[in-house]
């Protein structure tokens, strides 16, 4: 966490792409345009490990990483093995981003009890780091009791960093205490500043230098000649997450003074009144959460996020309904 200019990264599309090759092409384009890293989420499309392996073989310099791999869909030991392997195949360019996702995803899709996500995240981060050290894993936790596991291959040198996602104060504090970085997503500029204080508190509790914990902000962006299309696409994306993806995004908006709006979005979305849900997101709120507009507007607004003190990297993310052409145009416009 530093005051230097933020790195420019790219968050490959959450929405389904036509092929693994399309995702690889987007990562190659990002590398050619000077982006520092390509992040890939793991939701309900292609698994992140296979795609990132393909990207590693198609690129030479750009970093790669998971943002975010759910902690409940793989065991901590397997996550450690996976991180070690991706670090090997990428030639040291991998960074592991972890997070608990939400109960709607974990319980309904994976059939796993959500339990205490904070404790499970902490234990997973600690176990993964033990695995990556190459030493035998001995761990006695609330969720995991492990003994005797050890990588059968040489441990990666250097080991990949292990980051944690978080939206609430305690989750961000946890990242500051135990992880190498914090991933922030769909949070206002004011919200980023509030949560950075939580990150510093966590680092202090662990007697760590907060500057050693890397903050990565995922920022939904649409930079298009068609201004209205850009803004409506991002507005729909925000409404979907606040209204349809559990309570975390709604709670995050509420914490920074938008409780009434967050509830209005949620209630309308649950009532299947999509138009009213989108209408609840006024222009000021949209611009505090995301970048949407013409190329010139987008570049100017992006800089307001990239210059937040304490943010080390901003990753250009895309709305759910962005087309390949719109993704390419935004990558091009917001390149370093």
């Amino acid at each position: 966490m530093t005051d230097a200019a933020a790195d420019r990264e790219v968050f490959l599309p959450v929405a389904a792409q036509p092929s693994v090759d399309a995702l690889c092409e987007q990562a190659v384009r990002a590398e050619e345009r000077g982006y520092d890293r390509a992040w890939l989420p793991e939701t309900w499309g292609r698994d992140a490990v296979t795609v990132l392996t393909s990207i590693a073989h198609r690129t030479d310099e750009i970093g790669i990483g998971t943002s975010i791999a759910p902690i409940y869909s793989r065991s901590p030991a397997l996550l450690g093995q996976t991180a070690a392997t991706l670090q090997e195949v990428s030639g040291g360019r991998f960074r592991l981003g972890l997070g608990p996702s939400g109960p709607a995803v974990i319980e309904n899709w994976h059939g796993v009890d959500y339990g205490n996500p904070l404790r499970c995240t902490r234990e997973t981060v600690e176990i993964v780091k033990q695995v990556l050290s190459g030493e035998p894993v001995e761990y006695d936790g609330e969720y995991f009791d492990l003994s005797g596991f050890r990588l059968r291959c040489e441990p990666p040198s250097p080991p990949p960093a292990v980051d944690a996602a978080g939206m609430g104060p305690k989750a961000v504090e946890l990242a500051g205490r135990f992880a190498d970085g914090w991933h922030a997503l769909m949070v206002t500029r004011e919200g980023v500043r509030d949560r950075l204080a939580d990150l510093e508190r966590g680092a202090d509790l662990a007697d760590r230098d907060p500057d050693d914990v890397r903050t990565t902000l995922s920022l939904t962006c649409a930079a298009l000649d068609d201004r209205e299309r850009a803004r409506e696409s991002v507005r729909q994306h925000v409404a979907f997450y606040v209204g349809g993806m559990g309570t975390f995004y709604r709670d995050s908006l509420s914490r920074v003074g938008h409780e009434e709006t967050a509830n209005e979005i949620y209630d309308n979305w649950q009532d299947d009144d999509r138009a009213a849900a989108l209408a609840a997101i006024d222009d000021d709120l949209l611009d505090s959460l995301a970048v949407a507009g013409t190329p010139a507007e987008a570049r100017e607004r992006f800089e307001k996020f990239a210059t937040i003190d304490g943010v080390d990297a901003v990753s250009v993310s895309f709305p759910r309904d962005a087309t390949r052409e719109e993704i390419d145009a935004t990558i091009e416009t917001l390149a370093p």
Side-chain angles (χ1 to χ4, degrees):
M1 193 172 76
T2 70
D3 293 336
D7 288 346
R8 195 77 51 98
E9 303 179 340
V10 66
F11 190 102
L12 295 173
V14 174
Q17 297 298 292
S19 63
V20 171
D21 190 59
L23 287 160
C24 291
E25 288 175 1
Q26 288 159 357
V28 168
R29 183 171 292 105
E31 180 175 63
E32 291 172 347
R33 297 299 181 268
Y35 286 86
D36 293 288
R37 187 172 301 274
W39 297 102
L40 184 70
E42 187 166 75
T43 52
W44 54 93
R46 297 175 180 87
D47 78 274
V49 178
T50 305
V51 178
L52 286 173
T53 301
S54 300
I55 290 172
H57 286 298
R58 289 275 297 273
T59 57
D60 298 309
E61 297 180 356
I62 192 169
I64 59 173
T66 53
S67 184
I68 292 294
I71 59 172
Y72 290 101
S73 56
R74 294 183 179 88
S75 74
L78 179 56
L79 283 166
Q81 290 176 266
T82 301
T85 307
L86 280 167
Q87 183 75 328
E88 179 182 351
V89 299
S90 68
R93 293 182 282 143
F94 180 66
R95 196 171 182 108
L96 178 67
L98 299 173
S101 187
V105 171
I106 299 307
E107 295 182 352
N108 294 343
W109 299 358
H110 295 287
V112 177
D113 180 27
Y114 196 62
N116 181 340
L118 289 175
R119 183 69 198 188
C120 196
T121 300
R122 170 183 170 172
E123 293 189 12
T124 299
V125 169
E126 290 178 330
I127 293 168
V128 167
K129 288 191 169 189
Q130 283 194 29
V131 171
L132 292 171
S133 75
E135 298 301 317
V137 176
E138 302 293 334
Y139 195 86
D140 182 12
E142 292 181 24
Y143 281 87
F144 302 102
D145 185 6
L146 309 180
S147 179
F149 178 85
R150 184 176 185 175
L151 281 177
R152 197 172 181 182
C153 55
E154 286 295 314
S157 180
V162 181
D163 298 342
M167 301 185 78
K170 287 298 182 183
V172 180
E173 179 185 297
L174 183 148
R177 287 184 69 185
F178 300 104
D180 299 310
W182 166 48
H183 286 237
L185 66 162
M186 203 175 292
V187 59
T188 65
R189 290 191 295 273
E190 297 77 14
V192 172
R193 296 184 180 100
D194 291 344
R195 298 288 76 79
L196 283 169
D198 300 320
L199 190 75
E200 291 181 4
R201 184 173 61 253
D204 288 343
L205 288 170
D207 197 23
R208 304 171 69 192
D209 185 343
D211 286 349
D212 293 337
V213 185
R214 182 177 178 81
T215 294
T216 302
L217 171 64
S218 174
L219 184 63
T220 307
C221 299
L224 308 175
D225 291 329
D226 185 340
R227 183 179 191 273
E228 292 310 309
R229 161 61 186 166
R231 294 185 70 78
E232 196 66 8
S233 178
V234 173
R235 188 173 269 112
Q236 191 277 342
H237 181 90
V238 172
F240 169 79
Y241 275 90
V242 175
M245 290 299 287
T247 64
F248 297 113
Y249 299 96
R250 180 160 42 115
D251 292 345
S252 182
L253 270 188
S254 298
R255 287 188 200 98
V256 291
H258 297 284
E259 182 175 5
E260 184 176 341
T261 299
N263 288 333
E264 184 178 356
I265 297 168
Y266 177 81
D267 291 341
N268 284 312
W269 192 273
Q270 294 301 309
D271 289 341
D272 207 27
D273 190 345
R274 303 293 195 255
L278 269 65
I281 305 168
D282 65 25
D283 287 340
D284 287 342
L285 178 58
L286 187 70
D287 291 333
S288 73
L289 282 168
V291 167
T294 65
E297 286 177 314
R299 282 190 290 266
E300 180 181 351
R301 289 179 176 145
F302 188 91
E303 289 305 316
K304 293 181 180 179
F305 289 89
T307 54
I308 297 173
D309 286 349
V311 172
D312 297 291
V314 180
S315 61
V316 176
S317 181
F318 310 99
R320 296 171 61 245
D321 66 349
T323 66
R324 289 183 69 183
E325 292 74 20
E326 290 169 344
I327 290 167
D328 291 346
T330 300
I331 288 175
E332 186 73 30
T333 295
L334 297 178

